[in-house]
């Protein structure tokens, strides 16, 4: 009887932990990172985001008065790096209203690029973190913090 209870307890714990582990890992985005040389020591760092169908990612200025998590990027300190201006977004922004949120909100579906111009002194590895939140018509996933890295030769 005790052996049966131990097995039942293990199976039950396993069943309850599997959905939680799966939910933490699910991310309907894929990211690619590109370095584009402009001139001299000036480059563009491009974050390419692709979203699975029916999912969207909030703009860096999502609007509204709700708990929307704006996409943002943090660059780690690097003596060879000088950021030039702010990150820009390139994609088809959707501006709409959502139930329960006052004001218009802005997000991207399918794909969006985030572009940061930089000046880099010599070869360097540029690192940092990006934070974003994706939603569909019925739910928003918890915000994701992802590290990024760009190599400039």
């Amino acid at each position: 009887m005790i052996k049966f209870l131990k097995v039942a307890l293990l199976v039950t714990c396993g069943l309850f932990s599997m959905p939680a582990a799966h939910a933490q890992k699910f991310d309907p985005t894929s990211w690619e990172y590109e370095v584009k040389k402009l001139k001299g020591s000036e480059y563009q760092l491009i974050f390419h985001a692709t979203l699975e169908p029916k999912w969207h990612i909030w703009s860096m200025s999502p609007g509204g008065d709700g708990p929307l998590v704006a996409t943002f990027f943090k660059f780690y300190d690097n003596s060879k790096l000088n950021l030039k201006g702010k990150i820009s977004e390139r994609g088809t922004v959707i501006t709409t209203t959502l139930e329960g949120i006052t004001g218009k909100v802005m997000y991207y579906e399918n794909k969006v690029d985030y572009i940061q111009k930089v000046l880099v002194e010599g070869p360097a590895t540029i690192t940092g973190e990006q934070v974003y939140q994706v939603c569909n018509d019925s739910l928003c996933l918890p915000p994701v913090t992802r590290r990024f890295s760009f190599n400039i030769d």
Side-chain angles (χ1 to χ4, degrees), residues 44-95:
Q44 283 183 334
L45 306 180
I46 307 170
F47 302 78
H48 299 285
T50 304
L51 291 96
E52 292 181 11
K54 300 186 183 196
W55 288 93
H56 61 264
I57 188 168
W58 298 114
S59 167
M60 292 178 71
S61 299
D65 70 344
L68 313 178
V69 177
T71 301
F72 73 92
F73 301 84
K74 175 186 177 185
F75 289 84
Y76 296 152
D77 288 337
N78 185 329
S79 61
K80 296 182 176 186
L81 173 67
N82 187 4
L83 301 178
K84 202 171 171 189
K86 294 183 179 182
I87 291 183
S88 63
E89 298 171 301
R90 185 172 33 194
T92 304
V93 67
I94 296 169
T95 303

Side-chain angles (χ1 to χ4, degrees), residues 65-140:
D65 70 344
L68 313 178
V69 177
T71 301
F72 73 92
F73 301 84
K74 175 186 177 185
F75 289 84
Y76 296 152
D77 288 337
N78 185 329
S79 61
K80 296 182 176 186
L81 173 67
N82 187 4
L83 301 178
K84 202 171 171 189
K86 294 183 179 182
I87 291 183
S88 63
E89 298 171 301
R90 185 172 33 194
T92 304
V93 67
I94 296 169
T95 303
T96 189
T97 57
L98 296 176
E99 187 177 330
I101 297 177
T102 302
K104 293 183 179 184
V105 298
M106 293 173 279
Y107 60 82
Y108 294 91
E109 293 179 334
N110 303 316
K111 63 182 179 175
V112 59
D113 292 337
Y114 302 94
I115 303 162
Q116 174 68 60
K117 286 186 181 180
V118 296
L119 294 174
V120 180
E121 301 298 325
T125 298
I126 300 167
T127 57
E129 294 178 344
Q130 61 196 71
V131 176
Y132 58 94
Q133 183 180 41
V134 291
C135 304
N136 63 21
D137 289 342
S138 60
L139 67 98
C140 287

